[in-house]
Structure formats: C-alpha cells, structure tokens
Amino acid sequence: MSALRALRRRVLTPGIAETTLAVRGFRVKDDTSRELLETVGRTFLAGYAHAVGARRPRDAEEPLEAIPAQFRGFAYEGAGMGFAVLDGLPFGGNRHVEQFLEGRAADHVYMVYVGIGWAMARLPRFRWPADARTDPLLRWLVLDGYGFHQAYFKTEQYVHHQYADPRFPWPAAGPRSYAGRALDQGIGRALWFVGGTDAQHVADLIDRFPEHRQEDLYAGAGLAATYAGGESEDELVLFRHRSGPHAAMVAQASAFAAEARVKAGLVVPHTGLATRVFCGTTPEKAARVTQDVRPAPPVVDGAVPAYETWRQRIARQFVHQEGVRR
C-alpha cells in the first residue's frame, strides 16, 4: 500500500471504539450477543478500511473474501460505504462503487447499497450520489442504510425521541413520500442492535413509535434478526407474536435477508432458524419467493415505488404460511 493510500485509510476509517455496545449505550443481553454485535461492527470497519486503502476496487476483494461467511456480508457493506465515500470526495474519481459492483461485490449488491447510505450520512449533501446512477429498484436500500446509520450513531434523537425527517431530499426521481418509510426500515434494522438482540426489548422500543411507523420498523428488525442473528428460537417466536398484524412484513424482510445470504453463498444456521419461524420455510425457498415476484425491468416508479410493490408481493406469499399464522 502506498503511503498516500495508507494515510487515506487511517484518516477516513472510524475508530473501532465507536462500535462497542458500551460506547453506543446499547442494551447488553448477554456476553454472546455483545460479542456478536461488536464483531459485526469490527468487521464492517474492516471492510471499510479495505476499500479506502485499495488502489482500485478489485484489490479489496481478496481480503474481503477471507472474512468468515457469517460476517463477510457486513464487510462488503463497510466496503460499499468506503467506496461511496471515495466517490463523494472532490478528487480521485466517482466510479468506485460502480467498478466494485462489476466484480465479486455483485453477489453482495444489497449490502453494498446499504453501505452507500452510510456514506451519505457522512458526506455533505452536495456530494451525495445522483440517484440516476443507482438501480431504480434497489436505490431505496440506500435510505435503509442511511436510517440505520442515524439510529446507530444518533440513538437519542432517532430512537428515543423518534425523529422523522419530513422532507428527505433523496432520491430526486422517486416519490418523496416513500423516503420516510425506507428510512424507518433502516431504523428498525438498527433497533436490533440498539436492543442488543433482545427480542422483547426491541419490540418494546418499536411499540413506542407512532403506529403508522411500526410496520416498517418491525420489518427492519426482522431482517436484522435473520441476517445478523443473536437470538434463540423462543425469542424469534416471541418477536413474531409481538409484531402482530405486521407479521407478514416481518416474513418479507426475513426473506430479503435470506436472499442476501443465499445470493452471496453465506447461509449460516441462524438464517434457517429465522426463516423457519418467520416464513415457515427454508432460506433457499424464502429467497426464491423474492425472485419469483421481483418486478421485471424496466423499473419505473409511480405513486408507489416498484420496491414497495415488490415487498408487498413477497409479504402476500407468506400470509398463509403456518409460520406467520401462529
């Protein structure tokens, strides 16, 4: 690594202490869940560091692929943030994310898009990516990532005071009314971390939000429970029960998480445990549902984004599953 890239990596990489539950003030359910969540944070930062220190995007692939399967997706998410930050700097080019997705990162596209949202939370608005350069179906995952970042680092404001940005300015081409919902999906995902994977506590946090926000928050937390793990079967059943009328959307989000792991070849035991409880099926079959009802290109948003139409189609597939009914 050149001296310049080494300096860039050191200056742009957040401190590891920022990911500890003690610093964040998050709930500690037990030592096992604490270690899991802190490993996720460390791995995310490792992926970010590999990106900002790489001579070119493809050079980050080898160290990312060396990370254990359980955590590799988080490393790709961090790398997505890193390359999006580089794209947002006023020098060095703006095709890092695009070039990254031309390689092995294509199998981690969902995580990379979430990472772009992290970068937006750290960049001035005039350096945000143009939405026209993002996938018209998946661009809402960028706001999912932004919402996660804000709830993770500004927990008092976004979680305990339940802040909602009424006029979020991105994407310019999409229905602005949906931006808040996409942000809430990310906030819900962050609540799984804020709550320390304690399903009951996470549900309590969600139920304090206005009712109209709870569906997206439950879905986000269900996605995190499936992808990150950290809970027992009994806790998953409890969370599904607490989600009540939102159980089908929790199943949808769980299927999304399964698709992210199946597509990247990163299925681990807790993935199957979560999809069995939330979706009533295996990760592979849940992932297949997401692809069977995926909107066909060209994707054009109307009053309701194609992304939300996709989510609703998936949810309908699970309404009558035994795992959602019980």
Coordinates of all heavy atoms in Angstrom, one line a residue, residues 170-209:
W170 N -33.7 12.9 -1.0 CA -33.2 11.9 -1.9 C -34.1 10.7 -1.9 O -34.5 10.3 -0.8 CB -31.7 11.5 -1.5 CG -30.9 10.8 -2.5 CD1 -30.0 11.4 -3.3 CD2 -30.9 9.4 -2.7 NE1 -29.3 10.4 -4.1 CE2 -29.9 9.2 -3.7 CE3 -31.6 8.3 -2.3 CZ2 -29.6 7.9 -4.2 CZ3 -31.3 7.0 -2.8 CH2 -30.3 6.9 -3.7
P171 N -34.3 10.0 -3.0 CA -33.8 10.3 -4.4 C -34.7 11.3 -5.0 O -35.9 11.4 -4.8 CB -34.0 9.0 -5.1 CG -35.1 8.3 -4.4 CD -35.0 8.7 -3.0
A172 N -34.1 12.1 -5.9 CA -34.9 13.2 -6.6 C -35.9 12.6 -7.5 O -37.0 13.2 -7.7 CB -33.9 14.1 -7.4
A173 N -35.7 11.5 -8.1 CA -36.6 10.9 -9.1 C -37.7 10.1 -8.5 O -38.6 9.7 -9.2 CB -35.8 10.1 -10.1
G174 N -37.6 9.7 -7.2 CA -38.6 8.8 -6.7 C -39.7 9.6 -5.9 O -39.5 10.8 -5.6
P175 N -40.7 8.9 -5.6 CA -41.8 9.5 -4.8 C -41.3 9.9 -3.4 O -40.9 9.0 -2.6 CB -42.9 8.5 -4.7 CG -42.2 7.2 -5.0 CD -41.1 7.5 -5.9
R176 N -41.2 11.2 -3.1 CA -40.6 11.7 -1.8 C -41.4 11.1 -0.6 O -40.8 11.0 0.4 CB -40.6 13.2 -1.8 CG -39.7 13.9 -2.8 CD -38.2 13.7 -2.4 NE -37.4 14.3 -3.4 CZ -37.0 15.6 -3.4 NH1 -37.5 16.4 -2.5 NH2 -36.2 16.1 -4.3
S177 N -42.6 10.8 -0.8 CA -43.4 10.4 0.3 C -43.0 9.0 0.9 O -43.3 8.7 2.0 CB -44.9 10.2 -0.1 OG -45.1 9.3 -1.2
Y178 N -42.2 8.3 0.0 CA -41.8 6.9 0.5 C -40.4 7.0 1.2 O -40.1 6.0 1.9 CB -41.6 6.0 -0.7 CG -41.4 4.5 -0.3 CD1 -42.5 3.8 0.2 CD2 -40.2 3.9 -0.5 CE1 -42.3 2.5 0.6 CE2 -40.0 2.6 -0.1 CZ -41.0 1.9 0.5 OH -40.8 0.6 0.8
A179 N -39.7 8.1 1.1 CA -38.4 8.2 1.7 C -38.4 7.9 3.2 O -37.6 7.1 3.7 CB -37.8 9.5 1.5
G180 N -39.4 8.4 3.9 CA -39.5 8.2 5.3 C -39.7 6.7 5.7 O -39.2 6.2 6.7
R181 N -40.4 6.0 4.8 CA -40.7 4.6 5.1 C -39.4 3.8 4.9 O -39.1 2.9 5.7 CB -41.8 4.1 4.2 CG -43.1 4.7 4.4 CD -44.2 3.8 3.8 NE -44.2 2.4 4.3 CZ -44.9 1.4 3.7 NH1 -45.6 1.7 2.7 NH2 -44.7 0.2 4.2
A182 N -38.6 4.1 3.9 CA -37.4 3.4 3.6 C -36.4 3.7 4.8 O -35.7 2.8 5.2 CB -36.8 3.8 2.3
L183 N -36.4 5.0 5.3 CA -35.5 5.3 6.4 C -35.9 4.5 7.6 O -35.1 4.0 8.4 CB -35.6 6.8 6.7 CG -35.0 7.7 5.7 CD1 -35.4 9.2 5.9 CD2 -33.5 7.6 5.7
D184 N -37.2 4.3 7.8 CA -37.7 3.6 9.0 C -37.3 2.1 8.9 O -37.1 1.5 10.0 CB -39.2 3.7 9.1 CG -39.7 4.9 9.9 OD1 -38.8 5.6 10.5 OD2 -40.9 5.2 9.9
Q185 N -37.3 1.6 7.7 CA -36.8 0.2 7.6 C -35.4 0.0 8.1 O -35.0 -1.0 8.7 CB -37.0 -0.3 6.1 CG -38.4 -0.4 5.7 CD -38.6 -0.3 4.2 OE1 -37.8 -0.6 3.4 NE2 -39.8 0.2 3.8
G186 N -34.5 1.0 7.8 CA -33.2 1.0 8.3 C -33.1 1.3 9.8 O -32.3 0.7 10.6
I187 N -34.0 2.2 10.3 CA -34.0 2.4 11.8 C -34.5 1.2 12.5 O -33.9 0.8 13.5 CB -35.0 3.6 12.1 CG1 -34.4 4.9 11.5 CG2 -35.3 3.7 13.6 CD1 -35.4 6.1 11.6
G188 N -35.4 0.4 11.9 CA -35.9 -0.8 12.5 C -34.7 -1.8 12.6 O -34.6 -2.6 13.6
R189 N -33.9 -1.9 11.5 CA -32.8 -2.8 11.5 C -31.8 -2.4 12.6 O -31.3 -3.3 13.3 CB -32.2 -2.7 10.1 CG -31.3 -3.9 9.7 CD -31.1 -4.0 8.2 NE -30.7 -2.7 7.6 CZ -29.4 -2.3 7.6 NH1 -28.5 -3.1 8.2 NH2 -29.1 -1.1 7.1
A190 N -31.6 -1.1 12.8 CA -30.7 -0.7 13.8 C -31.2 -1.0 15.2 O -30.4 -1.2 16.1 CB -30.4 0.8 13.7
L191 N -32.5 -1.0 15.4 CA -33.1 -1.3 16.7 C -32.7 -2.7 17.2 O -32.7 -3.0 18.4 CB -34.6 -1.2 16.6 CG -35.2 0.2 16.5 CD1 -36.7 0.2 16.4 CD2 -34.7 1.1 17.7
W192 N -32.4 -3.6 16.2 CA -32.0 -5.0 16.6 C -30.6 -4.9 17.3 O -30.3 -5.6 18.3 CB -31.9 -5.9 15.4 CG -31.7 -7.3 15.8 CD1 -30.6 -8.1 15.6 CD2 -32.7 -8.2 16.4 NE1 -30.8 -9.4 16.1 CE2 -32.1 -9.5 16.6 CE3 -34.0 -8.0 16.9 CZ2 -32.7 -10.5 17.2 CZ3 -34.6 -9.1 17.4 CH2 -34.0 -10.3 17.6
F193 N -29.8 -3.9 16.9 CA -28.5 -3.6 17.6 C -28.7 -2.8 18.8 O -28.1 -3.1 19.9 CB -27.6 -2.9 16.6 CG -27.1 -3.8 15.5 CD1 -28.0 -4.2 14.4 CD2 -25.8 -4.2 15.4 CE1 -27.5 -5.0 13.4 CE2 -25.3 -5.0 14.4 CZ -26.2 -5.4 13.4
V194 N -29.5 -1.8 18.8 CA -29.7 -0.9 19.9 C -30.3 -1.8 21.1 O -30.0 -1.6 22.3 CB -30.7 0.2 19.6 CG1 -31.1 1.0 20.8 CG2 -30.1 1.1 18.5
G195 N -31.2 -2.7 20.7 CA -31.8 -3.6 21.7 C -31.0 -4.8 22.1 O -31.4 -5.7 22.9
G196 N -29.8 -4.9 21.6 CA -28.9 -6.0 21.9 C -29.3 -7.4 21.6 O -29.0 -8.3 22.2
T197 N -30.2 -7.5 20.5 CA -30.8 -8.8 20.1 C -31.8 -9.3 21.1 O -32.2 -10.5 21.0 CB -29.8 -9.9 19.7 OG1 -29.3 -10.5 20.8 CG2 -28.6 -9.3 18.9
D198 N -32.2 -8.5 22.0 CA -33.2 -8.9 23.0 C -34.6 -8.6 22.3 O -35.0 -7.5 22.3 CB -33.0 -8.1 24.3 CG -34.0 -8.5 25.4 OD1 -35.1 -8.9 25.0 OD2 -33.7 -8.3 26.5
A199 N -35.2 -9.7 21.9 CA -36.4 -9.6 21.1 C -37.5 -8.8 21.8 O -38.2 -7.9 21.2 CB -36.9 -10.9 20.6
Q200 N -37.7 -9.1 23.0 CA -38.8 -8.4 23.8 C -38.4 -6.9 23.9 O -39.3 -6.0 23.7 CB -39.0 -9.0 25.2 CG -40.0 -8.3 26.0 CD -40.9 -9.2 26.8 OE1 -41.4 -10.2 26.3 NE2 -41.0 -9.0 28.1
H201 N -37.2 -6.6 24.2 CA -36.8 -5.2 24.3 C -36.9 -4.4 23.0 O -37.4 -3.3 22.9 CB -35.4 -5.0 24.9 CG -34.9 -3.6 25.1 ND1 -35.5 -2.8 26.1 CD2 -34.0 -2.9 24.5 CE1 -34.9 -1.6 26.1 NE2 -34.0 -1.7 25.1
V202 N -36.5 -5.1 21.9 CA -36.6 -4.5 20.6 C -38.1 -4.2 20.3 O -38.5 -3.1 19.8 CB -36.0 -5.4 19.5 CG1 -36.3 -4.8 18.1 CG2 -34.5 -5.5 19.7
A203 N -39.0 -5.1 20.5 CA -40.4 -4.9 20.3 C -41.0 -3.8 21.2 O -41.8 -3.0 20.7 CB -41.2 -6.2 20.6
D204 N -40.5 -3.7 22.4 CA -40.9 -2.6 23.3 C -40.5 -1.2 22.7 O -41.3 -0.3 22.7 CB -40.3 -2.7 24.7 CG -40.9 -3.9 25.5 OD1 -42.0 -4.3 25.1 OD2 -40.3 -4.3 26.5
L205 N -39.3 -1.2 22.1 CA -38.8 0.1 21.5 C -39.7 0.4 20.3 O -40.1 1.6 20.1 CB -37.3 -0.1 21.0 CG -36.3 -0.2 22.1 CD1 -34.9 -0.5 21.5 CD2 -36.2 1.2 22.9
I206 N -40.0 -0.6 19.5 CA -40.8 -0.3 18.3 C -42.2 0.2 18.7 O -42.8 1.1 18.1 CB -40.9 -1.6 17.4 CG1 -39.5 -1.9 16.8 CG2 -41.9 -1.4 16.3 CD1 -39.5 -3.2 16.1
D207 N -42.8 -0.4 19.7 CA -44.2 -0.1 20.1 C -44.3 1.3 20.7 O -45.4 1.8 20.8 CB -44.7 -1.1 21.1 CG -45.0 -2.5 20.4 OD1 -45.0 -2.5 19.2 OD2 -45.2 -3.5 21.1
R208 N -43.2 1.9 21.0 CA -43.2 3.3 21.5 C -43.3 4.3 20.3 O -43.6 5.5 20.5 CB -42.0 3.6 22.3 CG -41.9 2.8 23.6 CD -40.6 3.0 24.3 NE -40.4 2.1 25.4 CZ -39.3 1.7 25.9 NH1 -38.1 2.2 25.5 NH2 -39.2 0.9 26.9
F209 N -43.1 3.9 19.1 CA -43.2 4.7 17.9 C -44.6 4.9 17.5 O -45.5 4.0 17.9 CB -42.4 4.1 16.8 CG -40.9 4.4 16.8 CD1 -40.1 3.7 17.7 CD2 -40.3 5.3 16.0 CE1 -38.7 3.9 17.7 CE2 -38.9 5.5 16.0 CZ -38.1 4.8 16.9

